[in-house]
Amino acid sequence: MATRNEPNKTAIFATTVTAFFAIAGIAIVDPILPAIGADLGATTWQIELLFTAYIAVMAIGMIPAVMLTGKFGYKKILAAGVSVVAVAAIAASFTTTIGSLAALRGLWGLGNAMFFATAMVLLVSLANDRAWAVELFETCVGLGFAIGPLIGGLLGQISWRVPFLLCGVFMIVALVVSVTRLKDPEVMPAPLRLGQVFSTFKKPAFIALCVITATYNFVFFIVLGYTPVFLGLDVVPLGLVFTGWGVGLAFGILYIGHRLAHRFGAVQTVGFAIVVLCLTLVGLATSHSTFQSIVFLVISGVCMGVCNANLTDLALATGSPDRRVTTGAFNLVRWGFAAPAPVVAGLLAEHVSLASPFWVGLGVLAVGVLTFLVFGHMMARSVGERVLWSRWNKRAQAAECSPEEALELI
């Protein structure tokens, strides 16, 4: 590490540490959801608004955040986003109604949109070794998901307000670091037009990937947002359980996801992960004990880590050469389709059954699996890979190849 030729190492570390705080702010809410509902007198679907408001505003805010980088640069947008998160988190610790808390979570999501729309692009532009910078970023994301619930659980036993307050303090520290240590790349980004972002959706492989990502992220936030209510545990045990889920997620991101991708290809790896994720949803829906539910929850975390390790790489490979364009379009889909999931899960739990959100999630994710089977060969071809099930659709694949390449498929 000491010999690494990275003149912007301090700025890179500052960005990744801020990413840790941002992700921990998402995960910190999990263990305290039931406590918030009990204290504020909120129903299941109302406390799920804390996730839905956050994700929905984050999805909508991604596009303008990306476009504003062309006018103000990365550093100013990132610092503004961190500031917004700090204000929202501290204000949330003093709120007295579920409606105002959901509104502040929405503001929190806007701040995170400004951060995530700039962080990865800033890292890649500052680093000589881009793979190292991306791995460092992913490490902080994994640690955020692992440590966030632990913080929420341990401090939530004092009051659900304390984790929010602490998260706000963390973001103030992150703001100081970003203002004093970050810098824009030497070549500033060119202005972006809205049409440029949506032009990415003209690429068939990118569209297929977006469909898969949409179904996967819907399930991700059913698991993350609804399972804390489904398990019915106290704050500290719930924090420990979701720490286990976060460790599984981090393990999938840092150790399993890329190794499987190198051996079998990123497309096949994601396909395998979402099939196993389907099985964990069946397990959660049919489990007969809390222990069984926790086991399936942790396994789902590993599967999600494997997906997270590869989906962004596939998006950058199949989207626009301008990373800002691809990031904006991909995150719009990723967060936009995830936004309804927590509230849908809450309504289903109240009016159908406690297990019904997992069955609905299974049905949604089945669309993603089907998309993989039909269009996986198209995605794989665009990134220089092949998938086993491409043989099921030789005609479609041959239509995309030159005559010489088509003969190889026979």
Side-chain angles (χ1 to χ4, degrees):
M1 185 67 70
T3 60
R4 186 178 295 278
N5 181 25
E6 291 291 348
N8 299 313
K9 188 184 294 185
T10 301
I12 292 169
F13 281 135
T15 305
T16 52
V17 169
T18 305
F20 165 77
F21 288 134
I23 291 296
I26 299 175
I28 206 171
V29 177
D30 266 339
I32 57 177
L33 282 178
I36 292 172
D39 186 41
L40 300 182
T43 62
T44 300
W45 78 267
Q46 287 175 327
I47 61 175
E48 296 298 331
L49 276 174
L50 303 185
F51 275 109
T52 290
Y54 173 95
I55 303 166
V57 176
M58 189 171 177
I60 296 170
M62 282 288 179
I63 300 298
V66 168
M67 296 177 67
L68 286 172
T69 59
K71 184 174 183 180
F72 298 105
Y74 298 117
K75 178 179 176 178
K76 289 181 179 178
I77 298 301
L78 187 147
V82 172
S83 302
V84 170
V85 172
V87 170
I90 292 173
S93 67
F94 294 100
T95 192
T96 57
T97 66
I98 193 67
S100 59
L101 186 56
L104 287 168
R105 283 288 287 176
L107 184 63
W108 195 328
L110 177 62
N112 263 15
M114 299 169 75
F115 170 78
F116 283 109
T118 56
M120 183 60 75
V121 182
L122 183 60
L123 275 178
V124 170
S125 64
L126 290 174
N128 290 334
D129 186 345
R130 295 183 176 184
W132 168 75
V134 171
E135 183 178 353
L136 187 63
F137 184 84
E138 290 175 345
T139 300
C140 287
V141 168
L143 288 174
F145 273 120
I147 298 175
L150 183 61
I151 296 173
L154 294 176
L155 297 180
Q157 63 181 328
I158 303 171
S159 169
W160 62 264
R161 302 175 187 277
V162 176
F164 282 138
L165 184 60
L166 182 63
C167 190
V169 173
F170 280 163
M171 295 311 288
I172 292 175
V173 175
L175 175 62
V176 173
V177 172
S178 62
V179 169
T180 57
R181 299 298 183 182
L182 289 185
K183 66 176 184 178
D184 282 312
E186 294 179 3
V187 179
M188 291 296 290
L192 278 180
R193 300 187 310 274
L194 187 62
Q196 289 177 265
V197 177
F198 286 97
S199 66
T200 312
F201 294 111
K202 295 179 181 179
K203 298 177 178 256
F206 185 75
I207 293 175
L209 179 66
C210 284
V211 172
I212 294 154
T213 302
T215 62
Y216 159 71
N217 261 50
F218 185 90
V219 169
F220 185 100
F221 279 95
I222 281 184
V223 172
L224 184 63
Y226 171 67
T227 309
V229 179
F230 173 76
L231 291 176
L233 299 173
D234 291 333
V235 173
V236 175
L238 200 54
L240 294 174
V241 166
F242 270 88
T243 297
W245 172 85
V247 169
L249 185 81
F251 186 70
I253 292 174
L254 302 176
Y255 295 102
I256 300 180
H258 293 305
R259 283 175 169 79
L260 290 178
H262 288 316
R263 183 166 185 177
F264 301 107
V267 175
Q268 288 191 141
T269 297
V270 172
F272 173 75
I274 63 173
V275 168
V276 178
L277 184 57
C278 285
L279 298 178
T280 65
L281 291 173
V282 174
L284 285 167
T286 59
S287 64
H288 299 294
S289 69
T290 301
F291 177 76
Q292 287 181 3
S293 297
I294 292 171
V295 170
F296 287 120
L297 176 66
V298 173
I299 295 172
S300 76
V302 177
C303 296
M304 291 171 176
V306 172
C307 288
N308 286 359
N310 290 287
L311 285 174
T312 301
D313 291 342
L314 287 172
L316 293 173
T318 59
S320 168
D322 189 329
R323 290 174 180 268
R324 292 177 301 157
V325 171
T326 300
T327 299
F330 185 65
N331 281 325
L332 177 64
V333 171
R334 166 182 271 179
W335 299 108
F337 282 87
V343 165
V344 168
L347 291 171
L348 287 169
E350 287 183 15
H351 300 291
V352 182
S353 70
L354 292 177
S356 59
F358 299 121
W359 290 119
V360 170
L362 178 64
V364 171
L365 192 57
V367 175
V369 174
L370 181 62
T371 302
F372 254 106
L373 294 177
V374 177
F375 298 106
H377 70 277
M378 182 189 303
M379 295 166 48
R381 181 172 175 77
S382 68
V383 296
E385 298 176 1
R386 286 192 179 184
V387 290
L388 293 175
W389 60 89
S390 63
R391 297 181 179 276
W392 303 350
N393 200 356
K394 285 184 180 180
R395 289 184 180 180
Q397 189 176 11
E400 301 173 16
C401 302
S402 65
E404 293 80 8
E405 291 172 322
L407 289 174
E408 296 179 2
L409 301 173
I410 299 175

